[in-house]
Amino acid sequence: MRSHAAAPSLPVSPMERLKDPWTVPSGIDSPIPQVPSDSQLLRSTPLRTSGGHEAWKEHVGELQPRHSCEIAWGIPFTCDEFVAEAVRSRHPKLLSHSIPEVLRASVHRNCKLREDDLVKIRAEWLNKWLERALALRKDEDVLKSNMPNHLRHILQPKRLLVWKEILQEEGYHDLGVFDEVVKGTELTGDVPVTHSFEKVFRPAEITESQLRASAQADRLAAIHSARSSGDREVDDTVYSKTLEEVKAGWAFGPVDSSFLPADAVVSRRFGLKQSDKIRLIDDLSGSKVNLTVQTSESPKPHTTDVIASMTLELLKGEARPVLGKTFDLKSAYKQLGLAESALWASYVAVFNPNTRKGEIFQLLAVPFGATRAVYSFLRVAHSLWWIGCKCLNLMWSNFYDDFVTLAVESNAANVESTVDVLFRLLGWQYATEGAKCKPFDTSFAALGVCVNLRQFPDGYVEFSNTPKRVAELIESINSFLTKGSMSLVEGQRLRGRMQFSDGQLFGRMGRLCMRAVNNHIFSGKGCKIPAECSSAMQRFACFLNTSAPRKIRRAVSDPYLVFTDACYEPGSDSWPCGIGGILFYPTGTPLQAFSFCLNSHMMKTLGSDRKQTIIFEVELLGLVVAAKVWSNILVDSPVTFFVDNNSARDVAISGCGRSVVVNRLIEHLLIAEVASATFPWFARVPSPSNPSDAPSRGNCAELLGAGVPFVPVESVVQDILSSLGNK
């Protein structure tokens, strides 16, 4: 609304709410004649006029000043309106939001089409492009004949022109991926924008010119750093694998350092010992090559959330038994070559365990450890995944070189042969035997996660960490606890492994443990593990062993809504302090409610004898009671909790508070999350829009009249408060 007066008299100050309706005075232009009670005055802003002079206009025969003050009111939703909006908004972190649309469409086609039709569509598409591959064979040879020798050798198995025509004909959005593969991957400079990934800008830290200028001095340090790891097995493996790369045409060398170009950059190659293998790492960060890279996107491979959302989408439309497996590309990065213009920055220093000296090799295939290598490979892998979804109706995801694939049991053989022909058509080698080639099964491992599909016909799928991952992580934690110290690098590595494993555990107990590890490694107080961090690591290890698998259910894809509120009016004889809550179905219909008045002893436990107000603690108590009393209903479900106290919402989100009482209440909340395996989201509801305000004050007539059953919560409150003691 706008006032013709510069400073009209208003009934409340800014950010205050009206206790009663306010009739808009004459002289104020307003879309409504009366501002309802509980509306909040957001601002009263003077309006400036052109040239700093007051402008005038003719109005009903008189000269009056133009609008000189703008008044903004926030009019809250009614309780029913807010619940309706909450239903429409849904849960911000629903798994259904994680599935890419092209994959969702593929899942829907698998549910709707007959198996015979799926088989026919796949066969016709593959036959068409196999014939096209034969027709393009001579053109393919001409294309590769114009490539540098090393790139022609690496890309020889690829049917590049077929791949390009498929992308063009099917309408793929990133046709530049073909040019990058044909020209080879760069190691420095700007990463091309693909529109396949999230927009995130990260500037380069140094220029390519600066890298070239410092190359000669820096490579001497890199060559001298090529020394023994102290583990003969690691040294032998790194050197022997480097020689294997030379034999395969993925590298060249050894190279005499005296023949290196003046601007040649040498990075250190070392081995990282993992559980069952030793991985070669090319440290292009240490040599500053990665510092020249500037990006506008963040490549995000499909995590287990995408796999979970794929299974959930399939659960919605399919009841037949479903199987799964992982297709693993062999030496994935080595199937792509470097651009000729990148070879000056592709040298690595490798320790020769026989001569006890460092040797220099030039990498020709994309190195594992280069920032641009990650972008380039994921860009290519994304196109392969997209073709499978769009053209062949494959239900699969892509995590780096792993393609996790689902299939209805009766159609699994056809899916397996389809993937095989697709990879062979485009010239990509994948594991066809050994540990990385398992048949379709009701239980399979991918990305360190075990996916259990046995209960798919019953409406749910289970995700858990593999026993191997759990055992390795617990062993690592125990080794640090025994040693009693943990460096920054060790802590960062442990935290990363904990974070990945925690993704398959319900609740946020693991996050609190990781926070303790994080606080320690960045405390600057040395490597000795403090008692708090040690206790947190022990809890995480126990949590890994005892946590139930993460379940994805067909019937609970939509979120429940929980509203809680509290009142604290110590001067009242009848209802000095109360909590109330309402549980709503995902449709917005009330399911259950509770209303409870705290006695003086309960209030004292929350601090009424020491503090002027305990409304924050009571609001948090109401939230905890709701999570516990309805845990059997919310099991395995997404749920949005609405509270009208910012502090209660904030500590519920962060999982920690500043007092013993608050932290113990939070512990109860987190334990309830784990026990019911819920997916919680915490949000604020304005007080006037909170439907649980009435039951928190003992006003239950309207809900009872609507037939909403009230659940007793006295025993739950007593159990919670008894654990707080008199702290």
Side-chain angles (χ1 to χ4, degrees):
M1 60 179 63
R2 289 187 173 184
S3 169
H4 298 305
S9 177
L10 298 173
V12 293
S13 300
M15 302 314 295
E16 290 184 346
R17 292 186 182 274
L18 291 172
K19 293 182 179 180
D20 301 299
W22 179 61
T23 301
V24 180
S26 60
I28 296 180
D29 292 337
S30 172
I32 55 176
Q34 188 179 69
V35 182
S37 60
D38 291 320
S39 296
Q40 188 175 38
L41 177 59
L42 302 179
R43 68 178 186 276
S44 177
T45 310
L47 298 179
R48 301 179 65 180
T49 55
S50 177
H53 298 286
E54 192 173 45
W56 296 76
K57 69 175 183 179
E58 187 173 353
H59 180 67
V60 196
E62 298 180 3
L63 290 178
Q64 294 190 357
R66 280 192 181 175
H67 303 147
S68 55
C69 183
E70 184 178 71
I71 308 164
W73 292 92
I75 301 176
F77 285 122
T78 65
C79 294
D80 290 342
E81 289 172 340
F82 190 92
V83 171
E85 287 296 319
V87 170
R88 279 193 287 271
S89 298
R90 308 186 78 197
H91 194 292
K93 287 293 184 180
L94 284 178
L95 277 175
S96 57
H97 296 171
S98 300
I99 186 170
E101 283 305 314
V102 67
L103 177 54
R104 190 194 304 273
S106 177
V107 172
H108 289 177
R109 289 193 294 270
N110 273 266
C111 294
K112 293 178 180 178
L113 294 175
R114 294 188 308 118
E115 281 188 17
D116 290 347
D117 293 332
L118 281 172
V119 171
K120 182 179 179 181
I121 290 170
R122 290 166 179 160
E124 289 178 350
W125 190 91
L126 290 169
N127 286 333
K128 168 188 172 180
W129 289 105
L130 285 169
E131 291 179 4
R132 186 60 182 152
L134 292 174
L136 289 171
R137 190 164 49 187
K138 291 184 178 179
D139 293 334
E140 191 83 38
D141 291 339
V142 172
L143 173 68
K144 290 169 182 171
S145 68
N146 293 318
M147 295 179 180
N149 291 337
H150 76 280
L151 195 57
R152 179 171 63 250
H153 173 78
I154 292 170
L155 297 180
Q156 188 58 44
K158 303 286 184 291
R159 290 193 173 101
L160 300 170
L161 293 179
V162 173
W163 175 48
K164 180 182 181 180
E165 285 195 8
I166 291 172
L167 296 178
Q168 288 176 327
E169 183 170 311
E170 298 292 347
Y172 188 60
H173 62 276
D174 177 26
L175 297 179
V177 64
F178 169 81
D179 297 322
E180 182 168 0
V181 171
V182 169
K183 295 176 182 177
T185 298
E186 296 287 353
L187 292 177
T188 59
D190 291 356
V191 176
V193 176
T194 69
H195 303 292
S196 299
F197 308 110
E198 180 185 355
K199 290 183 178 180
V200 177
F201 178 72
R202 289 190 178 89
E205 296 184 39
I206 63 172
T207 65
E208 185 179 301
S209 298
Q210 290 172 320
L211 177 65
R212 290 180 184 272
S214 64
Q216 197 162 7
D218 290 345
R219 71 167 171 258
L220 293 175
I223 295 171
H224 287 303
S225 69
R227 54 176 65 96
S228 174
S229 66
D231 187 324
R232 180 69 193 221
E233 180 188 6
V234 172
D235 294 343
D236 286 343
T237 301
V238 171
Y239 189 70
S240 63
K241 283 190 173 183
T242 302
L243 295 181
E244 289 174 9
E245 290 186 13
V246 172
K247 186 176 180 180
W250 301 338
F252 175 77
V255 180
D256 191 318
S257 60
S258 62
F259 290 102
L260 292 179
D263 60 355
V265 177
V266 178
S267 305
R268 185 172 70 98
R269 167 171 281 196
F270 61 92
L272 181 62
K273 198 168 189 177
Q274 298 177 328
S275 57
D276 56 351
K277 63 181 178 182
I278 296 171
R279 184 183 292 276
L280 270 59
I281 306 294
D282 301 314
D283 187 13
L284 273 73
S285 293
S287 62
K288 303 178 185 176
V289 173
N290 289 342
L291 301 185
T292 68
V293 178
Q294 183 159 291
T295 64
S296 299
E297 296 176 331
S298 178
K300 295 290 178 64
H302 295 156
T303 62
T304 51
D305 276 352
V306 174
I307 303 173
S309 66
M310 177 170 59
T311 63
L312 177 60
E313 202 68 29
L314 188 56
L315 278 165
K316 294 177 182 178
E318 185 61 71
R320 292 172 294 174
V322 168
L323 307 178
K325 70 165 292 181
T326 299
F327 292 90
D328 182 85
L329 296 180
K330 292 177 63 176
S331 303
Y333 279 36
K334 306 306 177 187
Q335 295 194 50
L336 296 174
L338 288 174
E340 191 169 31
S341 55
L343 297 181
W344 65 276
S346 72
Y347 294 92
V348 292
V350 184
F351 177 73
N352 184 333
N354 302 314
T355 63
R356 311 295 296 176
K357 294 180 179 179
E359 293 181 351
I360 300 174
F361 293 82
Q362 186 179 42
L363 303 182
L364 305 175
V366 171
F368 190 86
T371 296
R372 288 205 60 170
V374 177
Y375 280 78
S376 180
F377 177 77
L378 287 178
R379 186 183 189 185
V380 176
H382 186 275
S383 74
L384 301 178
W385 163 80
W386 186 90
I387 290 171
C389 293
K390 173 72 164 50
C391 309
L392 296 168
N393 301 308
L394 294 177
M395 298 183 291
W396 64 350
S397 67
N398 168 232
F399 185 86
Y400 292 100
D401 54 352
D402 289 328
F403 290 79
V404 179
T405 309
L406 301 180
V408 174
E409 183 177 32
S410 56
N411 193 234
N414 176 258
V415 171
E416 182 146 25
S417 63
T418 297
V419 174
D420 176 74
V421 176
L422 174 63
F423 282 147
R424 292 179 186 276
L425 167 67
L426 299 179
W428 282 87
Q429 298 178 359
Y430 73 100
T432 55
E433 58 184 10
K436 291 189 175 183
C437 180
K438 299 287 183 66
F440 272 101
D441 202 345
T442 54
S443 179
F444 67 99
L447 322 180
V449 174
C450 182
V451 183
N452 186 348
L453 297 162
R454 293 186 181 91
Q455 304 302 320
F456 189 95
D458 297 326
Y460 69 91
V461 176
E462 292 183 333
F463 286 73
S464 60
N465 291 295
T466 60
K468 180 180 177 183
R469 177 184 290 273
V470 171
E472 289 175 352
L473 186 48
I474 290 177
E475 181 183 358
S476 181
I477 289 172
N478 289 336
S479 68
F480 286 122
L481 293 174
T482 301
K483 186 171 63 169
S485 65
M486 182 168 57
S487 68
L488 172 62
V489 174
E490 290 172 331
Q492 288 176 315
R493 188 176 298 129
L494 176 65
R495 182 190 58 187
R497 295 174 63 191
M498 291 171 69
Q499 187 172 8
F500 197 95
S501 298
D502 184 62
Q504 308 317 313
L505 306 177
F506 271 115
R508 295 173 291 152
M509 295 290 287
R511 297 182 201 176
L512 299 185
C513 297
M514 287 187 285
R515 182 180 300 156
V517 172
N518 204 52
N519 290 341
H520 161 61
I521 61 179
F522 290 110
S523 67
K525 297 180 180 179
C527 296
K528 184 178 179 181
I529 301 176
E532 179 184 357
C533 182
S534 176
S535 176
M537 291 167 67
Q538 291 174 7
R539 289 199 305 273
F540 192 89
C542 180
F543 194 40
L544 276 174
N545 262 331
T546 59
S547 179
R550 182 163 66 123
K551 288 184 180 179
I552 308 299
R553 288 185 179 273
R554 174 194 301 132
V556 293
S557 59
D558 292 322
Y560 286 93
L561 307 175
V562 173
F563 288 82
T564 62
D565 202 357
C567 74
Y568 182 62
E569 299 170 357
S572 171
D573 295 330
S574 60
W575 196 278
C577 182
I579 57 174
I582 306 176
L583 170 65
F584 288 85
Y585 282 112
T587 57
T589 303
L591 172 58
Q592 290 183 3
F594 68 80
S595 176
F596 182 76
C597 182
L598 278 68
N599 60 37
S600 59
H601 176 71
M602 293 174 174
M603 290 188 288
K604 186 176 179 181
T605 302
L606 293 173
S608 63
D609 59 336
R610 306 184 308 275
K611 303 177 64 176
Q612 185 175 358
T613 179
I614 56 170
I615 187 61
F616 161 48
E617 288 81 359
V618 184
E619 291 271 11
L620 184 57
L621 174 65
L623 178 60
V624 175
V625 169
K628 292 179 77 73
V629 76
W630 288 318
S631 61
N632 61 325
I633 298 176
L634 302 176
V635 62
D636 298 330
S637 304
V639 55
T640 304
F641 289 93
F642 289 96
V643 295
D644 61 12
N645 182 282
N646 284 334
S647 297
R649 178 203 59 186
D650 292 345
V651 298
I653 294 171
S654 66
C656 64
R658 296 183 178 180
S659 71
V660 174
V661 167
V662 171
N663 280 324
R664 289 186 179 178
L665 287 173
I666 289 295
E667 285 181 14
H668 279 281
L669 178 64
L670 298 179
I671 291 170
E673 286 180 20
V674 173
S676 59
T678 59
F679 299 87
W681 185 267
F682 300 94
R684 189 181 186 280
V685 53
S687 296
S689 306
N690 192 347
S692 59
D693 175 74
S696 76
R697 300 176 182 275
N699 302 324
C700 306
E702 184 176 346
L703 288 168
L704 288 171
V708 179
F710 275 70
V711 295
V713 297
E714 182 175 2
S715 61
V716 175
V717 174
Q718 289 177 339
D719 287 343
I720 294 171
L721 295 183
S722 64
S723 71
L724 306 186
N726 295 315
K727 299 293 185 182

